[in-house]
Amino acid sequence: MKVLVTGGAGFIGSRLTRRLLTEGCRVTVLDNFSPQIHAGRAELPADLAGRVTLVRGDVSERAVLASALADQEVVVHLAAETGTGQSMYEVERYQKVNLGGTALLFDLLTNGKTSVRKVVTASSRAIYGEGKYRCPSHGVVYPGKRRAEDVKAGKFEPLCPTCRAECSMLPTDESSAISPASFYGITKQVQEQMTLMFGEVLGISAFALRYQNVYGPGQSLSNPYTGILAIFSNLARAGRPINVFEDGMPSRDFVYIDDVVEATWRCIKPETRGVAALNVGGGQSVTVHEIARSVVEHFGSASPVTVSGAFREGDIRHNLADLTKARALIGYEPKVKFADGLREFLSWAAGQQAVAVKYEQSLQELKEKGLLHG
């Protein structure tokens, strides 16, 4: 197969490209080597150089994308801006890349001569917002965005939209209500809807993969807007304080990079056909405080871990993906337990050159925009 991977030089893209090569695919990578994501690196990893066709440029540039699409059979659309907090003030930038780039992709597929028969787009669990919960009185509910006044008062758990009782998290399935709490989440929702709609319109297969929190060796250690594992590991290695938001108990579904690549490949395979949105998660939920403690312990760091009570606009409280549909449709089953994946990531991070920690700078930007409280 001839496969175009937009954002193919990034964390997920480069790992997926290696898998595609082992499967005998002819791969084209489109990437603009954004400094925020690539930390100044403007070349493919050495093991990929010369083995793929590289197209340099932005996914929102018509001529560039049209050139990359020539003769492709499958498009894996990963190129995107990915910072949840940053999206709340870099609005035009996120609109241009995430929405504009995806709209341009389908404009070209709709109006041009193309051999593309399948599109796989990176969606996100961010489209759900808070996701699915259970109220003691009203059963399954979708709380929506938490009120700032509630969180400031220490009411961190989502409340029932009917009786305002505290709710407990349930695994969120693909039929759950969609209610993004950040502009990033909105862009992912629209990207996904475009993918599924045009898949039906064009009569091609289309999959939107709702990735949970992807992590693993190779992810950016220098991007302060995404990845708490990278942020915490940088701070711990430098012996600097680690401040955990809210009461330390927000939880996330972390999915290891190898599991993400496997799920994505299962959608790319020629025998997989259809139009569907699928959760891709790790199968367990871990608290942020637990993660911070594990990182500090791994490095033997003197970094103090403190619970700040602060919170960011756009943050959710919990998430855990229901993987029933992905199991049934593509046979996906996460293989890497979080404890094992975390150990692999931290061992890899320990061998990387220390990078300047710009996390506080990113928080200051949020505070100046009125998006960080406490």
Side-chain angles (χ1 to χ4, degrees):
M1 287 184 296
K2 297 178 181 179
V3 183
L4 168 64
V5 184
T6 72
F11 172 41
I12 299 174
S14 59
R15 291 291 281 261
L16 177 63
T17 296
R18 293 184 182 98
R19 175 63 180 273
L20 293 172
L21 291 172
T22 68
E23 298 289 349
C25 298
R26 294 173 60 183
V27 183
T28 298
V29 166
L30 169 61
D31 209 293
N32 68 351
F33 294 94
S34 165
Q36 178 173 304
I37 297 171
H38 294 274
R41 176 177 61 84
E43 301 293 338
L44 288 171
D47 65 311
L48 295 181
R51 301 176 64 198
V52 304
T53 300
L54 174 63
V55 178
R56 294 179 182 271
D58 197 283
V59 72
S60 63
E61 297 177 78
R62 176 175 287 272
V64 170
L65 185 55
S67 172
L69 279 171
D71 298 324
Q72 302 298 334
E73 297 170 281
V74 178
V75 177
V76 183
H77 185 37
L78 304 177
E81 299 289 354
T82 58
T84 300
Q86 187 183 46
S87 76
M88 300 296 282
Y89 57 93
E90 292 277 2
V91 179
E92 183 178 7
R93 174 179 164 189
Y94 277 69
Q95 180 275 330
K96 176 184 177 183
V97 177
N98 296 8
L99 300 183
T102 307
L104 178 58
L105 169 63
F106 287 108
D107 186 285
L108 292 168
L109 293 183
T110 301
N111 294 302
K113 293 182 179 180
T114 176
S115 53
V116 171
R117 52 184 170 79
K118 182 181 291 183
V119 176
V120 180
T121 294
S123 184
S124 170
R125 70 87 35 222
I127 71 170
Y128 295 121
E130 278 296 341
K132 191 175 184 178
Y133 284 76
R134 182 176 298 280
C135 168
S137 301
H138 295 95
V140 173
V141 295
Y142 298 96
K145 186 177 181 293
R146 293 177 293 167
R147 299 178 184 177
E149 57 266 32
D150 289 334
V151 183
K152 288 178 181 178
K155 297 178 182 178
F156 297 113
E157 297 298 327
L159 304 178
C160 173
T162 301
C163 68
R164 293 193 46 82
E166 190 173 293
C167 298
S168 55
M169 178 186 66
L170 293 171
T172 300
D173 59 84
E174 291 88 347
S175 63
S176 297
I178 291 176
S179 181
S182 66
F183 186 62
Y184 168 72
I186 290 173
T187 67
K188 283 295 170 181
Q189 175 190 353
V190 178
Q191 276 188 307
E192 173 177 312
Q193 290 174 327
M194 280 193 276
T195 298
L196 302 181
M197 182 190 72
F198 280 109
E200 295 281 6
V201 168
L202 298 172
I204 63 176
S205 291
F207 295 92
L209 300 184
R210 296 174 180 175
Y211 296 146
Q212 308 299 298
N213 293 67
V214 185
Y215 74 103
Q219 74 182 90
S220 174
L221 295 176
S222 61
N223 187 348
Y225 302 99
T226 60
I228 63 170
L229 294 180
I231 292 168
F232 287 174
S233 64
N234 282 335
L235 294 171
R237 291 173 67 195
R240 297 173 64 174
I242 297 177
N243 294 313
V244 179
F245 287 166
E246 301 182 19
D247 59 352
M249 300 310 290
S251 63
R252 299 291 183 265
D253 182 341
F254 287 90
V255 56
Y256 194 67
I257 181 62
D258 290 353
D259 287 329
V260 168
V261 168
E262 178 63 28
T264 307
W265 166 247
R266 285 172 179 258
C267 290
I268 295 168
K269 290 194 302 182
E271 57 266 36
T272 306
R273 298 183 178 91
V275 176
L278 298 172
N279 285 333
V280 178
Q284 64 185 114
S285 192
V286 188
T287 69
V288 175
H289 192 268
E290 180 181 349
I291 293 165
R293 288 292 183 188
S294 296
V295 171
V296 168
E297 181 179 344
H298 179 90
F299 289 115
S301 173
S303 294
V305 177
T306 59
V307 176
S308 68
F311 69 97
R312 298 183 302 183
E313 293 285 346
D315 274 355
I316 61 163
R317 179 64 171 175
H318 301 296
N319 84 279
L320 176 63
D322 185 321
L323 302 177
T324 304
K325 186 177 178 182
R327 289 188 179 105
L329 212 61
I330 60 172
Y332 170 70
E333 188 68 48
K335 302 296 184 184
V336 182
K337 299 296 183 185
F338 179 69
D340 298 330
L342 179 62
R343 184 169 55 252
E344 289 294 322
F345 166 74
L346 295 176
S347 297
W348 167 81
Q352 303 304 302
Q353 183 176 358
V355 297
V357 179
K358 298 181 179 179
Y359 183 50
E360 289 84 355
Q361 175 184 327
S362 70
L363 295 182
Q364 183 59 37
E365 290 175 3
L366 287 170
K367 184 168 287 189
E368 290 172 356
K369 304 294 183 182
L371 300 171
L372 176 64
H373 308 279

